[in-house]
Amino acid sequence: AVGFSHLDSGALYRAITAVALDEASSAGLDNPLALPPDSVLRAAEDRGLMLQPDGATFAAYLDGEPAEARIRSASVTAHVSAVSAVPVVREWVNARLRELARAGVGVVVDGRAIGTVVFPDADLKVFLTATPEARARRRLEQRGQAVDPAELGRETERLAAQIPQRDVDAAD
């Protein structure tokens, strides 16, 4: 333990996606992108969306409750890439990440654009990459699923196909 907390940028994107899905459902819509992004961000703030220290990591909270199970759901996973590609959403998340880092807590932040866009002037940057299989295994474990070889293979293929576009989107 080096005294740093893990700050998962993806948790904020996933939490905003959960709010967007809730708001879309309330409006009778299937597509969370049909709503104005500013209204979704206002709803997220009204519902107290935040990352709070939770041991060695920051956990997403929504409506005053831990939101980990909700933000790792299949419906959020299916929509998070599209929601996170919205520029105003990216700006909102980046601003929150910067606020947390400025609060004086030592953090290790992960995400595709952390060292280039969010914290371009960070004192220390360590760039790590993972194979599609490692990413798939981590994603399945985050969902609480058993990592059986057949499911790992399908998830690895799916992620490998998505990685090039996700990395391009993160640079925008």
Side-chain angles (χ1 to χ4, degrees):
V2 293
F4 288 82
S5 295
H6 175 231
L7 183 54
D8 175 10
S9 65
L12 274 178
Y13 286 115
R14 287 176 163 280
I16 290 170
T17 302
V19 170
L21 287 166
D22 292 348
E23 293 294 304
S25 177
S26 293
L29 303 169
D30 292 331
N31 182 358
L33 295 177
L35 299 168
D38 288 337
S39 70
V40 172
L41 295 175
R42 270 192 308 279
E45 289 174 359
D46 290 346
R47 293 178 61 185
L49 172 59
M50 68 179 72
L51 291 178
Q52 290 187 339
D54 184 18
T57 189
F58 282 81
Y61 277 70
L62 189 58
D63 301 317
E65 300 288 329
E68 186 67 20
R70 171 74 172 112
I71 69 173
R72 303 291 175 191
S73 70
S75 60
V76 168
T77 298
H79 292 92
V80 68
S81 288
V83 171
S84 67
V86 176
V88 69
V89 171
R90 296 186 80 71
E91 292 168 17
W92 189 91
V93 167
N94 292 346
R96 289 340 170 258
L97 294 172
R98 290 179 189 119
E99 287 172 13
L100 286 168
R102 276 195 301 267
V105 176
V107 294
V108 173
V109 188
D110 72 41
R112 283 178 294 284
I114 296 302
T116 56
V117 176
V118 183
F119 298 108
D121 299 321
D123 292 337
L124 174 66
K125 298 179 191 181
V126 177
F127 293 92
L128 301 174
T129 58
T131 65
E133 182 177 277
R135 291 170 88 166
R137 180 177 299 281
R138 183 177 64 235
R139 183 163 294 177
L140 291 170
E141 289 170 351
Q142 283 174 334
R143 293 181 196 157
Q145 293 178 250
V147 182
D148 71 75
E151 183 62 22
L152 180 60
R154 284 191 294 275
E155 185 71 5
T156 298
E157 289 175 15
R158 193 178 70 72
L159 283 175
Q162 291 177 347
I163 289 169
Q165 186 58 48
R166 290 179 75 200
D167 290 346
V168 167
D169 291 344
D172 291 342

